[in-house]
Amino acid sequence: MSRLNFTAESLDLVKKLAELGQTKTSIDPTIKALIEIRASQMNGCTFCVDMHVKEAKIHGERELRLHHVAVWRESKLFTDKERAALEWTELVTRLAPGGISDQDYERALTHLSKKELSDLTFMIGTINVWNRINVAFHGVPGTLDKMYGLEKAGLN
């Protein structure tokens, strides 16, 4: 059960965060879905994992790749660019005490342009905010399926 309806309590802030998340970027929608799922897994946000897996399925993502997101390092199902985005997602989501190393930054730039890396970092920050809000207030998975048409994924 949800602790409170944060949308009702902070509607203007929810609208601004939703607007940020819907802003067109240089990041391919497939990569966006992967990083939203991975950050949500790392943050233990069941609400967001549920939502983004369903969105990815509706947009044609293969089920096996969805299952492999949690083990992307060992999987052969992801491109070098997707792997770079997933690695950057992990680095930004769980910041190390010393921050992100120059070596990690340079490795990301071997597969992503500076524009893509910048846009990706904003996307990671945005999903992390959603994760924290839903974890804090116990967002209930599936409660927005009808509003967002997520029942079309056939995963309920």
Side-chain angles (χ1 to χ4, degrees):
M1 178 191 278
S2 183
R3 287 182 169 159
L4 65 84
N5 182 344
F6 62 83
T7 300
E9 298 298 329
S10 304
L11 182 59
D12 289 341
L13 295 171
V14 169
K15 284 180 180 179
K16 292 290 185 187
L17 189 57
E19 183 180 326
L20 179 60
Q22 294 168 2
T23 302
K24 181 147 176 59
T25 70
S26 62
I27 301 301
D28 181 273
T30 299
I31 291 177
K32 181 179 187 218
L34 295 174
I35 67 103
E36 288 173 334
I37 292 166
R38 184 64 191 129
S40 299
Q41 289 171 336
M42 293 175 68
N43 289 320
C45 185
T46 309
F47 179 90
C48 292
V49 169
D50 181 83
M51 172 181 274
H52 296 299
V53 164
K54 289 172 182 172
E55 286 175 338
K57 178 93 165 92
I58 289 168
H59 293 106
E61 185 58 79
R62 294 184 338 209
E63 257 182 86
L64 186 57
R65 280 174 37 103
L66 294 173
H67 290 289
H68 280 224
V69 171
V71 293
W72 67 268
R73 288 181 189 276
E74 294 80 23
S75 176
K76 303 293 183 209
L77 299 180
F78 302 100
T79 67
D80 288 342
K81 188 171 193 171
E82 290 169 339
R83 297 171 73 72
L86 287 162
E87 182 175 36
W88 191 253
T89 299
E90 291 184 355
L91 292 167
V92 172
T93 297
R94 289 223 179 102
L95 292 170
I100 297 172
S101 73
D102 289 342
Q103 181 182 4
D104 289 331
Y105 171 75
E106 293 299 330
R107 189 169 48 252
L109 286 176
T110 63
H111 300 288
L112 299 160
S113 71
K114 287 182 179 181
K115 169 72 169 148
E116 288 171 325
L117 192 60
S118 181
D119 286 355
L120 180 65
T121 304
F122 273 90
M123 293 171 77
I124 295 165
T126 303
I127 190 58
N128 276 286
V129 171
W130 281 119
N131 291 164
R132 282 151 178 74
I133 292 167
N134 277 291
V135 168
F137 297 127
H138 293 180
V140 179
T143 54
L144 298 180
D145 283 6
K146 189 167 186 119
M147 182 185 338
Y148 291 115
L150 298 178
E151 69 278 357
K152 293 180 222 164
L155 296 175
N156 290 339

